[in-house]
Amino acid sequence: MPSSFVPFTTGPARPKQVISLGFFRTGSQSLKEALTILGYRDVFHSSVMARSPEKWIGLGAAADANIPCLPSYTGCTWTRDEWDSYFGPCEALTDVTPFAEPLLRAYPEARVILVHRDFDSWAESFQNTLVLPSSAGFMAWLSGNWMEPLVGIHISQTAWKLYMGLLGVSDLRKTRDRRIMRAGYERHYDSVRRMVPAERLLEIDLVDLDWEALCGFLGKKVPDVPFPRLNESRVFQNEYRGLQRLAVAGGVAVLPNLSGTTPLLKYDNVANHVLGLSEAPHLKASESRSIMTMPSLPQNATDTLRNEFTFLKYSLAEQHTEEPKLTVNHNAYWSYCGPLLRSSSSADAHSRLPANFHDFAAATFSSPILPSFLPFLDFVNKVVVASGLNHYLLTIRATTPTHDFDRPRWHTDELFFSDLARGDLPGVGMGQKSQYHGRKEYCKAPGTNWKICTSLLGPSTLFIPLEHQSATRQKQHKAREAASTDHACLSIRCVGCASAAESVRENLATNLARFGAEAAGPGECAMFRVGRETGAMHSEPCMSGAQHGRIFVNVVPGTEEELRGMMGKWGMGFPRQWWQWWVQGFNVQPLVA
């Protein structure tokens, strides 16, 4: 494999212990998550690359070298060393069915999982989820044949090669022929059965795939978490829609180059803008945020949050560089709960915020915070309105450098409004066993289930990468259940719950380290889901190296009824605004309302 290709992941090559060779749309995403939970490292699935379009170049080269039916076939079949150079430290491979024969020859020792499903059901899913969205219609044609090549990515064309290779045809149009599809389906499964000894092969129907069957075959202990059942069609369609937007936006941006003028955006910037990448392809982390990108357009939260989290650009990072450098002088926070604060159309920006905000800012910061805060406030207001809401709980938390988060605190936020009818407060009783046994009503009527946050100064909130969110949520559930005890929970500062929380923190800090983390860049905010079942796994960042401190803004949108009810449970009126100084969790300034 040419060294210019970006590998799927970097690091020393590890043995490929498991290869899943079921057709696309036979539970490969769920199987990928299951193998990750079982401890296999760096499990490959093409969906992981949706946020790294440059990695598809190597996959396209693999198709050209290893799939004989393609018009672009080179005949230079990859050796084991070449596969290792692309898959590197991956210990398990899923979603690689078009490469079945060369992979089985390269890794004859691997255990093979062959998942199948009813043909008619599979064919319908394959067509409607993969083939048609990627190849039918004007947008697909424009993206795959024109815009993607303009910006130097070839995701659609690589996907088309894989679909043709799957069925053994040289014309993409033939992937829509049911007769050809059936012949290719049957030919593949027969071929794998012939090539793999029975003792290394698990052939199973998708409906029967569970922990018992999988762990029995792999010799693993059955995990104490539910088997992952992912909606793969939704995942693919959401990611592919984003990739098409990326290609079209990128193509439009570089079109001026065709006439010798300067493009509005480079490909890397378009990727950041459209996909919310935490690091632009081909750029080092220190460089990826230095190029100006365009602010995102406010969208309805339901449309935007197709995954657990996304990063949105709300401000050009360079526009306030002439402002005096902010420094946090004291640990403090300011909170507001009520209707949206006044928008940027106000003639006097100073009058847009309650008077005690300015008292808080003057007592806490070395220089004005408004130039940094107002662009975010304007953006949030538009997003909240676009989502059909008009109220929020907004908190600005200022923190001086601290070692409190040198070790991450991975967690999902609770559903803020789900238990108000029960009289519970969000986050209370997290260390009680009753939270994890026999509480089926938890997910009913969750209310507003998303929030937005940003860092105006200092490091941004950390998020587990999207491809590992499901697996790490299950690890959190298992850790919380193991740490919970039967005790009387008398307050939000319950000692029993605090002890359980610390145990969970240590467990997850150790066991989730291998998954890595992503964070928003300057001028970006994170929009993410909350709740145990679908919330984003995230953590406060390390702040010990934040010389000037950290200014974190957290926004919890809701209806007036939801927010009024939550404030009432806390014994506070609505609307309300207040601020406090604090030191290591203890308030040292009386509540200022």
Side-chain angles (χ1 to χ4, degrees):
M1 186 181 78
S3 59
S4 59
F5 292 161
V6 178
F8 168 68
T9 187
T10 57
R14 300 189 185 109
K16 306 299 178 267
Q17 301 179 41
V18 181
I19 302 177
S20 170
L21 293 177
F23 257 31
F24 298 153
R25 307 299 303 129
T26 58
S28 59
Q29 181 81 30
S30 298
L31 187 55
K32 182 260 181 190
E33 290 295 328
L35 292 171
T36 300
I37 293 170
L38 291 177
Y40 292 96
R41 293 173 288 183
D42 297 297
V43 180
F44 174 84
H45 191 281
S46 63
S47 64
V48 176
M49 302 193 300
R51 295 165 64 83
S52 302
E54 77 284 0
K55 294 182 180 179
W56 285 74
I57 297 174
L59 198 61
D64 292 339
N66 296 281
I67 302 179
C69 66
L70 297 180
S72 55
Y73 178 57
T74 65
C76 301
T77 305
W78 281 8
T79 64
R80 181 174 180 136
D81 287 343
E82 288 171 310
W83 286 114
D84 279 347
S85 68
Y86 184 73
F87 290 122
C90 297
E91 292 184 332
L93 308 177
T94 66
D95 209 34
V96 292
T97 305
F99 307 115
E101 291 191 17
L103 285 174
L104 290 175
R105 287 194 294 268
Y107 304 107
E109 73 283 5
R111 291 178 177 269
V112 176
I113 300 171
L114 192 63
V115 182
H116 54 75
R117 61 189 287 190
D118 172 74
F119 171 78
D120 290 327
S121 171
W122 168 80
E124 190 75 17
S125 178
F126 178 65
Q127 284 293 304
N128 294 333
T129 305
L130 300 182
V131 176
L132 295 180
S134 70
S135 63
F138 175 73
M139 178 63 76
W141 176 88
L142 181 67
S143 175
N145 290 296
W146 181 249
M147 292 302 189
E148 288 183 29
L150 269 180
V151 296
I153 58 176
H154 303 277
I155 297 172
S156 291
Q157 293 186 14
T158 298
W160 298 340
K161 291 176 182 179
L162 298 180
Y163 302 156
M164 289 188 288
L166 192 71
L167 299 176
V169 298
S170 58
D171 186 335
L172 184 64
R173 290 171 295 183
K174 292 183 178 180
T175 61
R176 305 180 193 180
D177 186 314
R178 286 296 179 100
R179 181 181 57 82
I180 292 175
M181 291 168 66
R182 183 181 290 276
Y185 188 93
E186 294 175 351
R187 181 172 59 249
H188 167 75
Y189 283 88
D190 288 342
S191 174
V192 174
R193 294 183 191 110
R194 288 195 305 270
M195 293 186 69
V196 182
E199 64 272 14
R200 288 196 294 106
L201 177 65
L202 171 64
E203 183 173 356
I204 189 169
D205 192 285
L206 178 60
V207 298
D208 298 322
L209 184 61
D210 57 17
W211 283 130
E212 285 69 23
L214 186 61
C215 293
F217 173 65
L218 298 175
K220 298 281 189 177
K221 181 181 178 181
V222 174
D224 189 21
V225 295
F227 190 86
R229 306 285 182 187
L230 302 184
N231 186 343
E232 298 182 34
S233 60
R234 178 179 59 82
V235 171
F236 175 84
Q237 289 167 348
N238 290 340
E239 296 291 1
Y240 204 86
R241 193 178 297 116
L243 292 171
Q244 288 181 333
R245 290 199 305 270
L246 164 65
V248 173
V252 170
V254 303
L255 278 175
N257 257 0
L258 300 180
S259 59
T261 58
T262 303
L264 296 174
L265 295 172
K266 295 181 180 179
Y267 157 69
D268 297 323
N269 307 104
V270 178
N272 269 357
H273 169 53
V274 179
L275 291 183
L277 295 176
S278 62
E279 184 173 322
H282 311 303
L283 296 179
K284 297 179 181 178
S286 59
E287 299 171 334
S288 63
R289 298 301 185 179
S290 64
I291 304 174
M292 184 172 67
T293 58
M294 297 180 65
S296 305
L297 297 176
Q299 301 179 51
N300 180 290
T302 302
D303 295 336
T304 304
L305 274 182
R306 299 186 180 97
N307 295 306
E308 286 87 347
F309 70 89
T310 189
F311 299 141
L312 301 174
K313 195 80 175 176
Y314 68 85
S315 173
L316 300 181
E318 293 82 356
Q319 67 185 39
H320 301 308
T321 54
E322 296 181 1
E323 297 292 337
K325 184 65 178 180
L326 266 172
T327 297
V328 176
N329 295 328
H330 306 285
N331 292 329
Y333 71 87
W334 179 81
S335 288
Y336 166 84
C337 190
L340 303 188
L341 295 167
R342 297 173 66 184
S343 70
S344 58
S345 60
S346 304
D348 180 7
H350 196 275
S351 68
R352 294 167 53 188
L353 300 169
N356 70 354
F357 169 86
H358 303 290
D359 297 337
F360 154 76
T364 306
F365 307 117
S366 63
S367 56
I369 189 179
L370 286 181
S372 299
F373 176 54
L374 291 182
F376 174 67
L377 179 62
D378 290 338
F379 183 80
V380 165
N381 284 351
K382 293 171 183 175
V383 171
V384 172
V385 169
S387 302
L389 300 170
N390 290 288
H391 296 75
Y392 46 45
L393 169 63
L394 185 152
T395 299
I396 302 176
R397 191 173 187 89
T399 308
T400 56
T402 175
H403 290 283
D404 287 352
F405 298 101
D406 286 357
R407 196 157 173 79
R409 186 178 70 96
W410 296 113
H411 65 286
T412 54
D413 286 347
E414 291 294 285
L415 292 166
F416 294 100
F417 309 115
S418 63
D419 286 342
L420 294 182
R422 295 165 46 97
D424 294 346
L425 286 170
V428 174
M430 293 296 292
Q432 291 183 302
K433 281 196 177 297
S434 59
Q435 288 278 326
Y436 308 98
H437 296 281
R439 193 172 179 184
K440 301 296 185 183
E441 75 276 15
Y442 174 78
C443 290
K444 293 182 180 179
T448 306
N449 64 345
W450 57 277
K451 60 187 284 190
I452 304 177
C453 71
T454 193
S455 291
L456 303 180
L457 175 68
S460 297
T461 300
L462 304 177
F463 289 85
I464 294 288
L466 285 174
E467 61 266 26
H468 300 305
Q469 282 282 332
S470 177
T472 53
R473 271 196 306 274
Q474 294 185 54
K475 289 181 181 293
Q476 173 188 245
H477 177 83
K478 184 176 180 180
R480 284 180 171 178
E481 187 173 19
S484 64
T485 60
D486 291 317
H487 68 274
C489 185
L490 302 178
S491 74
I492 201 168
R493 297 183 183 275
C494 170
V495 174
C497 290
S499 176
E502 188 59 29
S503 174
V504 171
R505 176 179 181 175
E506 289 301 311
N507 179 312
L508 297 182
T510 299
N511 293 322
L512 304 192
R514 63 190 176 92
F515 294 109
E518 299 180 9
E524 289 183 338
C525 59
M527 176 186 286
F528 61 100
R529 297 177 188 163
V530 300
R532 299 178 199 174
E533 303 300 325
T534 61
M537 287 288 288
H538 64 288
S539 171
E540 296 87 348
C542 175
M543 298 179 225
S544 56
Q547 179 183 358
H548 299 280
R550 183 184 189 227
I551 303 175
F552 172 71
V553 187
N554 186 63
V555 181
V556 178
T559 65
E560 178 178 355
E561 180 183 8
E562 288 172 333
L563 290 162
R564 186 183 295 276
M566 185 172 68
M567 294 297 287
K569 299 301 180 185
W570 281 334
M572 296 183 179
F574 178 90
R576 185 182 180 89
Q577 58 273 338
W578 69 101
W579 73 276
Q580 279 183 290
W581 287 347
W582 56 275
V583 175
Q584 296 180 345
F586 295 95
N587 298 323
V588 297
Q589 174 82 349
L591 191 68
V592 182

